[in-house]
Amino acid sequence: AQSVTQLDSHVSVSEGTPVLLRCNYSSSYSPSLFWYVQHPNKGLQLLLKYTSAATLVKGINGFEAEFKKSETSFHLTKPSAHMSDAAEYFCVVSAPPQGDKLIFGTGTRLQVFP
Amino acid sequence: DGGITQSPKYLFRKEGQNVTLSCEQNLNHDAMYWYRQDPGQGLRLIYYSQIVNDFQKGDIAEGYSVSREKKESFPLTVTSAQKNPTAFYLCASSPDWGVGENTEAFFGQGTRLTVV
């Protein structure tokens, strides 16, 4: 069965510095991978997704992620953090044989300091 | 505007009562999902439905029930059998089910249920 591990429960950065949120996945098949963002007491918004096309995926708000099969990783990055990036981020995997399910990581809370 | 609407945003329930959370989508999506979110645990799948009049148990279905009589609606009932129902509940939908371009899920704004 597939699974996803977010390596950091909390990440703190200063405004204007780079962001790195780490995600490793496990799957016996080629997975689809997603990053979602959640602001407090809100639903989830899709940042970006990988579905076997280009390994470097660009998303909204300047975020991007690189699919590395050899490392089973899908880390989320942003060159320069903004105060509005403070939120919870979820890495998500979907793969056979349970392709109709999304498996969520436990989340990483990003804090951005001025 | 197209989207997913969950209501109510906040819900209070007395112990022993059943409550129903509403989820409506006008995106013409086939698949709909219910997730439960607890602090530090990510989202856990309660039930999902791939098509009208069909639904499947997720990972934590005990104490919950659903129906899918209409494509646009997927209400969740939290029954008195659910031992710890206080949580944030999220409804989602996707155009199709299965891996690939159509696996992207769109989420509602959530319902926070508190047992008093």
Side-chain angles (χ1 to χ4, degrees):
Chain A
Q2 61 271 25
S3 66
V4 62
T5 302
Q6 292 184 245
L7 300 168
D8 306 293
S9 59
H10 290 85
V11 170
S12 297
V13 301
S14 298
E15 189 174 23
T17 64
V19 176
L20 170 63
L21 305 183
R22 297 182 296 166
C23 173
N24 286 107
Y25 71 91
S26 173
S27 175
S28 301
Y29 300 88
S30 294
S32 293
L33 292 158
F34 310 81
W35 275 99
Y36 281 86
V37 61
Q38 183 182 34
H39 291 277
N41 293 311
K42 299 290 187 184
L44 276 69
Q45 180 184 17
L46 181 68
L47 278 177
L48 49 79
K49 63 180 178 182
Y50 165 79
T51 55
S52 75
T55 56
L56 181 62
V57 182
K58 294 188 183 297
I60 62 172
N61 300 335
F63 284 94
E64 63 181 37
E66 186 171 7
F67 173 70
K68 292 187 176 180
K69 186 175 181 179
S70 60
E71 299 176 11
T72 62
S73 69
F74 190 58
H75 301 333
L76 182 70
T77 61
K78 183 174 180 177
S80 176
H82 192 274
M83 295 295 291
S84 61
D85 294 329
E88 185 125 23
Y89 292 78
F90 292 95
C91 183
V92 182
V93 66
S94 175
Q98 296 179 305
D100 51 351
K101 291 185 179 180
L102 298 175
I103 307 300
F104 284 77
T106 52
T108 297
R109 182 164 298 279
L110 175 65
Q111 285 186 304
V112 181
F113 295 104
Chain B
D1 287 335
I4 301 177
T5 302
Q6 289 187 241
S7 61
K9 187 171 182 178
Y10 298 95
L11 185 58
F12 296 89
R13 189 195 91 173
K14 292 183 179 179
E15 285 192 28
Q17 284 183 338
N18 293 355
V19 288
T20 298
L21 282 60
S22 171
C23 178
E24 303 277 332
Q25 55 99 0
N26 60 5
L27 300 167
N28 200 34
H29 286 173
D30 284 321
M32 297 188 74
Y33 311 81
W34 273 106
Y35 290 90
R36 169 180 172 142
Q37 185 177 21
D38 296 282
Q41 295 194 45
L43 277 69
R44 292 181 291 169
L45 183 63
I46 304 173
Y47 268 97
Y48 65 105
S49 169
Q50 297 167 351
I51 199 168
V52 175
N53 292 324
D54 182 65
F55 49 83
Q56 307 294 329
K57 291 183 178 180
D59 301 315
I60 55 165
E62 185 176 353
Y64 299 97
S65 66
V66 294
S67 63
R68 187 83 187 277
E69 298 176 1
K70 298 186 294 183
K71 187 175 186 178
E72 58 270 25
S73 178
F74 191 42
L76 173 73
T77 297
V78 184
T79 74
S80 57
Q82 169 51 234
K83 299 303 180 187
N84 185 22
T86 295
F88 191 52
Y89 291 87
L90 285 159
C91 179
S93 70
S94 64
D96 199 354
W97 60 276
V99 175
E101 291 293 319
N102 289 331
T103 314
E104 175 184 344
F106 295 79
F107 284 82
Q109 295 297 294
T111 293
R112 185 164 297 281
L113 173 64
T114 303
V115 174
V116 296

